[in-house]
Amino acid sequence: MVSLRICTLFLALVCVTTAVHGEVYQVKLQGTKCKIEKVTDSTLSQALQSIRNAENIRELDLSGNLLYQISAGELYPFRNLELLNLSSNVFYESVDLQSLSQLQTVDLNNNFMKEVIVPSTDRLIAMKRKEHGLFSGQPSETDRAECEKENGDRQKAMDAIQKQYSTKIDEETRKNQEKIQLAKRKTDLENDLPGIESSYNELKDVIVQTAVELQIHVPDTPDLLELMRSITQRYEDLYDEEQNKQSNAMRDYELHRQIEEQMLEDNERLKKVKSDNELQVQSANATLQALIIREQTLAKAAKEAQN
Ligand SMILES: *[C@@H]1O[C@H](CO)[C@@H](O)[C@H](O)[C@H]1NC(C)=O
Ligand SMILES: *[C@@H]1O[C@H](CO)[C@@H](O)[C@H](O)[C@H]1NC(C)=O
C-alpha cells in the first residue's frame, strides 16, 4: 500500500518495488534516468539486474542509501552511463568505475572513500577502437586521433575528480589518526589508572587516619574534600586555642611580675620602717643612757651634800 502511494507520486516513472527480507527498494525510471532508493548492499545486485536495457541508462542515481560497496561487475551493464550519483552513502575503501567508459560525472560526496578506480586513457582508447572497429570494420586515423583527444579530456576530468576526493581522503585519514591518538590516550589513561587509584587510596587512608586522630567523625563513604575541610578547620581551631592559652599565660606572667614588684617594694618599705625604728630606739636608748648618767651624777651630788 505504501509503495503504491509513492508510485502515484511519480506518475511519469516506472516503479518497480521488491521486498527482500522485509526490505523494500524502489527503482524509478524516467527516460534515460534511473534512481534507486531504499536499496541496501544485499539488494543492490537484484535492483540493478531488474533494470532492463541497462545500456540505455545515462544517469544512475544511487544517492542517499546506506551502500557500503558496489562492484565493477554490478555496474558493467550500464556501459553508456554518463552520470553516476553515489553521494550520501557509506562507500568505503574503493569504488571501481573501470567498466564505465562513457562516464563524465561521478558524485561521491558524503562517503568514506579512500580510492576511486577510473578507466585509464589507454584502456578507454582500446575500448573505443574496438567499438569503432565493430561498427565500421575499418578504423580511420582521424577517428583514432579524435578518440584519443576525447579520452584524454575524460581522463583529465577523472583526475580532477580523483584530486577532489584525495582532499576528502586526506581529511578522513587525519580524522582516523586523531581517532587512533584519542584511543591511545584512553589506553594510556586506563594503564595509569591503577597507579592513580593506589595513590588516591593512600591519600584517603592518610586523611581518614588524621581525621580519626583529630576526633572528627568519619562517615562510611567519606567525601574526602569535605573531610580535608574539617581537618583544616580543626587545625585552625587548635591553633586559636593554643594562641589563647599563650596569651593567657602571658597575662598571668605579667600579673605575677606585678605582684612580685609590689612585694619587693613592700619589703623595701618595711626595711626602711625597721631601720627608722632602730634609729629611734637607738636615739631613745641614747637619751635613756644620758638620763641614767645624769641621775647617777645627781644621786652622787646629793650624797656628797648630806655628808
Ligand atoms: C546527487 O544526488 C544528490 C542528492 O539527491 C543531489 O543533491 C546532487 O545534486 C546529485 N549530484 C549530481 C551531480 O547530480
Ligand atoms: C643601751 O645603751 C647601752 C650602753 O651604750 C647598751 O649597753 C644597751 O645594750 C643599750 N640598750 C638597747 C636596748 O639598745
Side-chain angles (χ1 to χ4, degrees):
M1 281 307 284
V2 174
S3 54
L4 207 86
R5 213 176 302 150
I6 292 169
C7 281
T8 51
L9 280 175
F10 296 89
L11 277 174
L13 310 183
V14 178
C15 184
V16 181
T17 304
T18 307
V20 176
H21 305 304
E23 292 182 64
V24 175
Y25 63 77
Q26 289 170 356
V27 179
K28 292 164 183 173
L29 281 166
Q30 188 173 33
T32 60
K33 293 182 187 175
C34 175
K35 181 170 172 62
I36 305 182
E37 288 177 346
K38 297 181 183 172
V39 71
T40 65
D41 284 306
S42 56
T43 57
L44 181 63
S45 276
Q46 198 183 349
L48 291 173
Q49 277 163 23
S50 74
I51 300 165
R52 273 173 250 283
N53 304 324
E55 67 276 7
N56 292 338
I57 303 294
R58 306 275 166 181
E59 296 184 15
L60 179 59
D61 187 352
L62 293 172
S63 67
N65 290 299
L66 282 171
L67 294 171
Y68 185 80
Q69 56 192 5
I70 188 164
S71 70
E74 283 168 327
L75 289 171
Y76 188 76
F78 299 84
R79 55 182 163 277
N80 290 315
L81 212 57
E82 289 166 4
L83 187 149
L84 177 60
N85 197 338
L86 297 177
S87 68
S88 300
N89 277 289
V90 288
F91 282 109
Y92 187 71
E93 297 287 333
S94 68
V95 169
D96 187 346
L97 304 177
Q98 285 195 85
S99 59
L100 306 175
S101 61
Q102 305 296 316
L103 205 57
Q104 285 162 15
T105 311
V106 190
D107 192 339
L108 288 167
N109 280 304
N110 273 328
N111 279 292
F112 302 95
M113 213 80 64
K114 288 208 175 77
E115 191 186 15
V116 183
I117 304 165
V118 294
S120 74
T121 314
D122 286 349
R123 201 177 121 78
L124 283 171
I125 292 168
M127 279 170 76
K128 272 275 172 188
R129 258 202 206 128
K130 221 165 116 188
E131 240 172 65
H132 196 81
L134 269 179
F135 287 112
S136 71
Q138 218 167 61
S140 75
E141 187 53 31
T142 336
D143 285 350
R144 198 200 59 79
E146 205 177 289
C147 277
E148 207 164 321
K149 189 189 169 297
E150 191 193 320
N151 288 314
D153 290 348
R154 184 171 300 133
Q155 184 60 38
K156 269 185 214 148
M158 289 292 189
D159 287 349
I161 291 172
Q162 212 157 15
K163 190 162 170 257
Q164 181 195 342
Y165 279 95
S166 73
T167 320
K168 254 214 155 96
I169 290 159
D170 287 349
E171 176 75 2
E172 244 4 270
T173 312
R174 193 182 58 71
K175 276 190 198 151
N176 277 345
Q177 276 169 351
E178 267 174 19
K179 239 193 235 162
I180 290 165
Q181 273 170 3
L182 276 177
K184 193 182 167 299
R185 258 176 60 193
K186 191 171 159 243
T187 322
D188 287 351
L189 278 175
E190 274 166 2
N191 289 342
D192 286 349
L193 205 61
I196 293 169
E197 236 166 29
S198 84
S199 331
Y200 172 83
N201 286 335
E202 257 170 51
L203 181 70
K204 188 175 148 189
D205 287 351
V206 170
I207 290 171
V208 168
Q209 203 182 323
T210 310
V212 169
E213 276 167 17
L214 291 171
Q215 293 175 337
I216 294 168
H217 170 69
V218 181
D220 288 341
T221 48
D223 175 350
L224 286 198
L225 213 60
E226 198 52 46
L227 219 49
M228 289 272 279
R229 277 196 203 107
S230 302
I231 289 171
T232 313
Q233 187 58 49
R234 179 58 56 90
Y235 274 131
E236 267 168 23
D237 290 351
L238 284 176
Y239 174 80
D240 287 349
E241 218 172 277
E242 207 51 39
Q243 192 90 331
N244 275 345
K245 267 190 204 160
Q246 232 175 59
S247 64
N248 281 349
M250 290 275 278
R251 232 189 8 249
D252 285 356
Y253 170 78
E254 184 60 24
L255 209 66
H256 270 97
R257 210 184 50 78
Q258 279 175 9
I259 290 170
E260 208 175 70
E261 222 167 60
Q262 187 69 44
M263 275 166 76
L264 278 174
E265 265 172 32
D266 286 355
N267 239 5
E268 268 323 292
R269 203 163 39 78
L270 284 173
K271 257 191 205 159
K272 197 171 171 295
V273 168
K274 198 182 158 210
S275 77
D276 284 355
N277 281 349
E278 271 169 5
L279 277 176
Q280 272 173 11
V281 170
Q282 267 172 22
S283 124
N285 193 24
T287 313
L288 183 66
Q289 292 304 320
L291 281 174
I292 290 170
I293 290 166
R294 248 175 82 192
E295 203 186 8
Q296 283 171 353
T297 315
L298 281 173
K300 206 175 156 192
K303 208 173 174 185
E304 278 171 8
Q306 270 180 351
N307 295 335

PDB file of all heavy atoms in Angstrom, residues 95-107:
ATOM      1  N   VAL A  95      36.046   2.340  -4.986  1.00  0.00           N
ATOM      2  CA  VAL A  95      34.934   2.090  -5.909  1.00  0.00           C
ATOM      3  C   VAL A  95      35.558   1.934  -7.298  1.00  0.00           C
ATOM      4  O   VAL A  95      36.340   2.770  -7.741  1.00  0.00           O
ATOM      5  CB  VAL A  95      33.921   3.262  -5.892  1.00  0.00           C
ATOM      6  CG1 VAL A  95      32.947   3.125  -7.029  1.00  0.00           C
ATOM      7  CG2 VAL A  95      33.176   3.289  -4.571  1.00  0.00           C
ATOM      8  N   ASP A  96      35.219   0.849  -7.939  1.00  0.00           N
ATOM      9  CA  ASP A  96      35.832   0.523  -9.229  1.00  0.00           C
ATOM     10  C   ASP A  96      34.874   0.956 -10.357  1.00  0.00           C
ATOM     11  O   ASP A  96      33.815   0.367 -10.542  1.00  0.00           O
ATOM     12  CB  ASP A  96      36.089  -0.996  -9.287  1.00  0.00           C
ATOM     13  CG  ASP A  96      36.868  -1.368 -10.534  1.00  0.00           C
ATOM     14  OD1 ASP A  96      36.975  -0.519 -11.460  1.00  0.00           O
ATOM     15  OD2 ASP A  96      37.384  -2.499 -10.582  1.00  0.00           O
ATOM     16  N   LEU A  97      35.280   1.998 -11.105  1.00  0.00           N
ATOM     17  CA  LEU A  97      34.412   2.510 -12.171  1.00  0.00           C
ATOM     18  C   LEU A  97      34.998   2.209 -13.547  1.00  0.00           C
ATOM     19  O   LEU A  97      34.654   2.862 -14.529  1.00  0.00           O
ATOM     20  CB  LEU A  97      34.220   4.029 -11.987  1.00  0.00           C
ATOM     21  CG  LEU A  97      33.681   4.472 -10.627  1.00  0.00           C
ATOM     22  CD1 LEU A  97      33.606   5.993 -10.550  1.00  0.00           C
ATOM     23  CD2 LEU A  97      32.305   3.877 -10.356  1.00  0.00           C
ATOM     24  N   GLN A  98      35.889   1.207 -13.600  1.00  0.00           N
ATOM     25  CA  GLN A  98      36.623   0.957 -14.841  1.00  0.00           C
ATOM     26  C   GLN A  98      35.734   0.571 -16.017  1.00  0.00           C
ATOM     27  O   GLN A  98      36.063   0.839 -17.168  1.00  0.00           O
ATOM     28  CB  GLN A  98      37.654  -0.147 -14.617  1.00  0.00           C
ATOM     29  CG  GLN A  98      38.835   0.351 -13.835  1.00  0.00           C
ATOM     30  CD  GLN A  98      39.974  -0.620 -13.926  1.00  0.00           C
ATOM     31  OE1 GLN A  98      40.758  -0.567 -14.880  1.00  0.00           O
ATOM     32  NE2 GLN A  98      40.067  -1.502 -12.962  1.00  0.00           N
ATOM     33  N   SER A  99      34.607  -0.061 -15.711  1.00  0.00           N
ATOM     34  CA  SER A  99      33.772  -0.542 -16.822  1.00  0.00           C
ATOM     35  C   SER A  99      32.968   0.591 -17.469  1.00  0.00           C
ATOM     36  O   SER A  99      32.363   0.408 -18.508  1.00  0.00           O
ATOM     37  CB  SER A  99      32.826  -1.642 -16.312  1.00  0.00           C
ATOM     38  OG  SER A  99      32.019  -1.116 -15.283  1.00  0.00           O
ATOM     39  N   LEU A 100      32.947   1.779 -16.826  1.00  0.00           N
ATOM     40  CA  LEU A 100      32.096   2.859 -17.326  1.00  0.00           C
ATOM     41  C   LEU A 100      32.903   3.826 -18.205  1.00  0.00           C
ATOM     42  O   LEU A 100      33.378   4.848 -17.738  1.00  0.00           O
ATOM     43  CB  LEU A 100      31.454   3.606 -16.157  1.00  0.00           C
ATOM     44  CG  LEU A 100      30.698   2.695 -15.183  1.00  0.00           C
ATOM     45  CD1 LEU A 100      30.198   3.473 -13.998  1.00  0.00           C
ATOM     46  CD2 LEU A 100      29.555   1.970 -15.885  1.00  0.00           C
ATOM     47  N   SER A 101      33.015   3.475 -19.463  1.00  0.00           N
ATOM     48  CA  SER A 101      33.906   4.241 -20.343  1.00  0.00           C
ATOM     49  C   SER A 101      33.305   5.570 -20.777  1.00  0.00           C
ATOM     50  O   SER A 101      34.011   6.460 -21.205  1.00  0.00           O
ATOM     51  CB  SER A 101      34.257   3.404 -21.575  1.00  0.00           C
ATOM     52  OG  SER A 101      33.069   3.101 -22.268  1.00  0.00           O
ATOM     53  N   GLN A 102      32.004   5.742 -20.633  1.00  0.00           N
ATOM     54  CA  GLN A 102      31.362   6.975 -21.078  1.00  0.00           C
ATOM     55  C   GLN A 102      31.148   7.971 -19.930  1.00  0.00           C
ATOM     56  O   GLN A 102      30.585   9.045 -20.122  1.00  0.00           O
ATOM     57  CB  GLN A 102      29.981   6.668 -21.700  1.00  0.00           C
ATOM     58  CG  GLN A 102      30.011   5.667 -22.827  1.00  0.00           C
ATOM     59  CD  GLN A 102      30.811   6.173 -24.027  1.00  0.00           C
ATOM     60  OE1 GLN A 102      30.667   7.328 -24.428  1.00  0.00           O
ATOM     61  NE2 GLN A 102      31.689   5.340 -24.564  1.00  0.00           N
ATOM     62  N   LEU A 103      31.565   7.559 -18.750  1.00  0.00           N
ATOM     63  CA  LEU A 103      31.290   8.336 -17.550  1.00  0.00           C
ATOM     64  C   LEU A 103      31.884   9.729 -17.635  1.00  0.00           C
ATOM     65  O   LEU A 103      33.051   9.906 -18.006  1.00  0.00           O
ATOM     66  CB  LEU A 103      31.894   7.587 -16.353  1.00  0.00           C
ATOM     67  CG  LEU A 103      31.258   7.872 -15.007  1.00  0.00           C
ATOM     68  CD1 LEU A 103      29.771   7.558 -15.036  1.00  0.00           C
ATOM     69  CD2 LEU A 103      31.946   7.038 -13.948  1.00  0.00           C
ATOM     70  N   GLN A 104      31.068  10.731 -17.329  1.00  0.00           N
ATOM     71  CA  GLN A 104      31.558  12.109 -17.323  1.00  0.00           C
ATOM     72  C   GLN A 104      31.530  12.705 -15.913  1.00  0.00           C
ATOM     73  O   GLN A 104      32.381  13.506 -15.562  1.00  0.00           O
ATOM     74  CB  GLN A 104      30.694  12.973 -18.254  1.00  0.00           C
ATOM     75  CG  GLN A 104      31.018  12.709 -19.711  1.00  0.00           C
ATOM     76  CD  GLN A 104      29.938  13.187 -20.653  1.00  0.00           C
ATOM     77  OE1 GLN A 104      29.064  13.962 -20.258  1.00  0.00           O
ATOM     78  NE2 GLN A 104      29.981  12.708 -21.889  1.00  0.00           N
ATOM     79  N   THR A 105      30.524  12.311 -15.146  1.00  0.00           N
ATOM     80  CA  THR A 105      30.404  12.870 -13.784  1.00  0.00           C
ATOM     81  C   THR A 105      30.137  11.761 -12.768  1.00  0.00           C
ATOM     82  O   THR A 105      29.302  10.889 -13.006  1.00  0.00           O
ATOM     83  CB  THR A 105      29.219  13.871 -13.723  1.00  0.00           C
ATOM     84  OG1 THR A 105      29.341  14.777 -14.811  1.00  0.00           O
ATOM     85  CG2 THR A 105      29.213  14.636 -12.413  1.00  0.00           C
ATOM     86  N   VAL A 106      30.886  11.807 -11.684  1.00  0.00           N
ATOM     87  CA  VAL A 106      30.606  10.904 -10.560  1.00  0.00           C
ATOM     88  C   VAL A 106      30.454  11.786  -9.334  1.00  0.00           C
ATOM     89  O   VAL A 106      31.315  12.591  -9.055  1.00  0.00           O
ATOM     90  CB  VAL A 106      31.775   9.926 -10.291  1.00  0.00           C
ATOM     91  CG1 VAL A 106      31.340   8.870  -9.285  1.00  0.00           C
ATOM     92  CG2 VAL A 106      32.255   9.291 -11.567  1.00  0.00           C
ATOM     93  N   ASP A 107      29.343  11.647  -8.649  1.00  0.00           N
ATOM     94  CA  ASP A 107      29.160  12.398  -7.399  1.00  0.00           C
ATOM     95  C   ASP A 107      29.423  11.445  -6.245  1.00  0.00           C
ATOM     96  O   ASP A 107      28.685  10.499  -6.011  1.00  0.00           O
ATOM     97  CB  ASP A 107      27.728  12.962  -7.328  1.00  0.00           C
ATOM     98  CG  ASP A 107      27.591  13.980  -6.205  1.00  0.00           C
ATOM     99  OD1 ASP A 107      28.436  13.944  -5.276  1.00  0.00           O
ATOM    100  OD2 ASP A 107      26.662  14.798  -6.260  1.00  0.00           O
TER     101      ASP A 107
END
